[in-house]
């Protein structure tokens, strides 16, 4: 745009008229005007075009495209924004013209067009699973931490969607017996925008202990020899070992394969007394301690109660295994005293 004083100044220059004629004069005048235009400074705070704009709504306002507009006209709608996740351009002349209709004169700038991008993102499987877990927990009390979502069929691509729109699950139904569900995925907010309906199963998972290597019978298992894995609860045996702390120091009752889910019956505490082994029998009461030799009728680990035979009296005692080759016999509890008639 030419300034109001540049062209009259050129017309008053008589020496230039005598030297230049016709088309040459016009070209010189235009060139001089462009130089003057470039020299006009942009005043601080004067409305000016934004070269790039990120739209976050369907409609672009005057404030979106022009910086420094008065508050009274800032929210004035001008153009429709591109679709979410897409970009487009607007000719600067159209913005200048639209701003002028609302009383905003833009500062001169060397901008031919304004690039407008619409913020957006893709909705991935993790976000969908999180929305469904939250909906199931809120409406049906499903434990989200122990649940894995399995959708029916392939999941269609969702998005792009607006950055500030949270994905939510609405109209959630759930059958506790089959653990099947249906839900409607939508973009949350004051007015939810539905995307699609989904169906699937909320599979209950459980942490189990899985052997990282094979074991032979009698081999001692340590906690580091097993790893925790999430498995569907329906496929896990009822006596599966859930806590790695239950493994330390136990021995394999039989050969165990790598990758097998450990069960309570797969492991046993190390035997401290073997069947038929000669053991030390300890009998202690306050103020007195007796020891004698005996023979174990059965094997036992620490804390097990086994049968031990006293070779002298041939009596069978019930003793507790307390150490390697050692058992303890507890004194019999006193019976009730006879009462006089």
């Amino acid at each position: 745009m030419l300034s109001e004083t540049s062209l009259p100044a050129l017309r008053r220059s008589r020496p230039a008229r005598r030297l230049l004629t016709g088309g040459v004069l016009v070209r010189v005048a235009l060139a001089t005007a462009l130089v003057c235009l470039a020299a006009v400074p942009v005043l601080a705070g004067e409305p000016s075009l934004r070269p790039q704009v990120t739209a976050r709504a369907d409609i672009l306002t005057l404030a979106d495209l022009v910086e420094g507009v008065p508050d009274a006209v800032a929210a004035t709608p001008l153009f429709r924004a591109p679709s979410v996740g897409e970009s487009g351009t607007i000719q600067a002349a159209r913005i200048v013209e639209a701003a002028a209709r609302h009383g905003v004169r833009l500062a001169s700038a060397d901008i031919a067009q304004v690039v407008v991008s619409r913020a957006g993102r893709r909705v991935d499987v993790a976000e969908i699973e999180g929305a469904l877990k939250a909906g199931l927990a809120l409406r049906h009390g499903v434990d989200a931490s122990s649940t894995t979502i399995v959708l029916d069929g392939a999941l269609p691509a969702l998005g792009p969607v607006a950055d500030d729109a949270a994905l939510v699950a609405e109209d959630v139904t759930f059958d506790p017996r089959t653990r099947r569900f249906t839900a409607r995925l939508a973009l949350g907010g004051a007015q939810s925008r539905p995307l699609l309906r989904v169906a699937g199963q909320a599979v209950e998972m459980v942490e189990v202990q899985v052997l990282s290597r094979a074991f032979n019978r009698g081999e001692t298992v340590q906690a580091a020899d097993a790893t925790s894995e999430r498995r569907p609860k329906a496929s896990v045996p009822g006596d599966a070992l859930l806590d790695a702390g239950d493994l330390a120091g136990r021995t394999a009752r039989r050969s165990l394969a790598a990758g097998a889910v450990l069960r309570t019956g797969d492991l046993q505490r190390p035997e401290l007394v073997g069947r038929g082994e000669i053991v030390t029998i300890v009998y202690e009461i306050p103020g007195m301690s007796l020891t004698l030799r005996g023979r174990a009728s059965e094997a036992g680990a620490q804390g097990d109660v086994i049968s031990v035979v006293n070779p002298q009296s041939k009596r069978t005692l019930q003793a507790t295994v307390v150490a390697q080759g050692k058992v303890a016999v507890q004194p019999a509890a006193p019976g009730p005293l006879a009462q006089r008639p």
Side-chain angles (χ1 to χ4, degrees):
M1 181 185 297
L2 300 178
S3 66
E4 296 178 358
T5 59
S6 59
L7 286 178
L10 287 173
R11 287 196 293 271
R12 287 196 297 270
S13 177
R14 293 184 180 180
R17 285 186 177 182
R18 287 196 297 269
L19 295 175
L20 303 173
T21 59
V24 177
L25 178 61
V26 174
R27 287 195 294 272
V28 172
L30 289 175
T32 306
L34 290 175
V35 172
C36 295
L37 178 61
V40 175
V42 177
L43 299 178
E46 190 174 358
S48 59
L49 284 178
R50 302 179 190 269
Q52 292 183 337
V53 174
T54 299
R56 299 189 177 276
D58 293 333
I59 301 298
L60 292 167
T61 65
L62 188 57
D64 291 332
L65 298 168
V66 179
E67 188 171 2
V69 296
D71 293 340
V73 295
T76 302
L78 294 186
F79 301 98
R80 183 172 295 278
S83 300
V84 176
E86 297 183 0
S87 299
T89 59
I90 304 175
Q91 296 301 314
R94 295 185 59 194
I95 303 175
V96 171
E97 180 183 353
R101 289 198 300 267
H102 295 88
V104 178
R105 181 177 178 275
L106 298 182
S108 301
D110 189 16
I111 300 176
Q113 60 187 13
V114 175
V115 179
V116 181
S117 301
R118 183 74 180 274
R121 59 179 172 81
R122 291 282 176 181
V123 178
D124 57 15
V125 176
E127 187 173 0
I128 292 174
E129 183 174 342
L132 291 171
K133 285 183 179 181
L136 288 167
L138 178 64
R139 294 170 176 81
H140 300 283
V142 175
D143 183 5
S145 63
S146 62
T147 300
T148 293
I149 300 297
V150 179
L151 295 175
D152 294 345
L155 181 69
L158 294 182
V161 299
D163 273 339
D164 57 352
L167 189 69
V168 295
E170 300 177 342
D171 301 334
V172 182
T173 65
F174 179 68
D175 184 348
R177 183 178 60 84
T178 62
R179 299 189 67 85
R180 289 195 56 80
F181 68 87
T182 62
R184 179 169 60 89
L185 295 175
L187 294 177
Q191 294 182 343
S192 64
R193 289 164 285 173
L195 295 178
L196 79 163
R197 295 196 68 87
V198 294
Q201 188 175 23
V203 180
E204 188 176 6
M205 308 294 286
V206 63
E207 293 276 350
V208 295
Q209 301 302 313
V210 178
L211 284 176
S212 56
R213 66 178 183 89
F215 280 82
N216 296 320
R217 182 180 182 277
E219 214 176 334
T220 301
V221 180
Q222 301 298 333
D225 294 324
T227 58
S228 295
E229 289 188 9
R230 284 168 61 90
R231 299 282 182 91
K233 187 176 181 179
S235 65
V236 172
D239 61 346
L241 284 173
L242 307 181
D243 188 357
D246 295 335
L247 306 179
R250 298 202 175 194
T251 60
R253 290 183 182 272
R254 54 183 174 272
S255 296
L256 301 174
V261 176
L262 282 173
R263 307 172 67 168
T264 304
D266 292 337
L267 303 175
Q268 63 184 0
R269 293 189 300 273
E271 291 184 356
L272 300 181
V273 173
R275 182 178 181 181
E277 180 182 345
I278 300 297
V279 296
T280 299
I281 304 173
V282 179
Y283 180 82
E284 291 183 337
I285 59 175
M288 184 177 65
S289 176
L290 299 176
T291 61
L292 65 152
R293 306 291 282 177
R295 185 179 298 275
S297 300
E298 52 190 334
Q302 185 168 6
D304 290 345
V305 178
I306 62 174
S307 298
V308 181
V309 177
N310 183 342
Q312 296 178 357
S313 64
K314 306 300 182 182
R315 290 182 57 191
T316 298
L317 307 174
Q318 297 299 308
T320 302
V321 178
V322 295
Q324 186 74 45
K326 185 178 181 180
V327 297
V329 176
Q330 301 296 326
L337 296 176
Q339 301 291 329
R340 284 187 177 183

